[in-house]
């Protein structure tokens, strides 16, 4: 992401990345997400989910509410 861009100028995927970064800033042990990939393009969705897998691999808890079973299987 371009650090000079304003939030209002980001794509939905960019905005989601900022949201994830902000939610991880306090170093939480539990992350609760409701439809976190809604409206994201395929590439951004994959990157976003991969980052959640990494987060869980660190021993943290990730709870996701989603209608997309395929995304949750991983």
């Amino acid at each position: 992401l371009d650090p000079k861009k304003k939030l209002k100028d980001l794509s939905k995927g960019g905005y989601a990345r900022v949201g994830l970064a902000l939610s991880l800033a306090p170093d939480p042990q539990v992350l609760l997400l409701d439809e976190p990939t809604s409206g994201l393009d395929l590439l951004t969705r994959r990157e976003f989910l991969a980052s959640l897998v990494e987060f869980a691999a660190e021993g943290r808890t990730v709870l996701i509410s989603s209608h997309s079973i395929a995304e949750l299987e991983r």
Side-chain angles (χ1 to χ4, degrees):
L1 293 171
D2 182 356
K4 295 179 183 177
K5 275 194 169 182
K6 295 186 179 200
L7 285 175
K8 67 178 184 168
D9 297 328
L10 294 176
S11 66
K12 186 160 185 174
Y15 198 81
R17 288 179 183 156
V18 170
L20 180 61
L22 289 173
S23 66
L24 296 177
D27 198 29
Q29 291 301 307
V30 177
L31 196 57
L32 177 61
L33 304 166
D34 181 26
E35 299 285 349
T37 59
S38 176
L40 300 181
D41 63 65
L42 183 60
L43 179 60
T44 303
R45 181 179 293 142
R46 285 183 182 167
E47 290 173 351
F48 188 84
L49 292 171
S51 64
L52 294 179
V53 169
E54 290 174 17
F55 186 76
E58 294 172 357
R60 301 170 194 228
T61 302
V62 179
L63 299 171
I64 302 173
S65 171
S66 177
H67 290 91
S68 177
I69 302 299
E71 287 183 0
L72 299 178
E73 288 178 337
R74 190 168 174 201

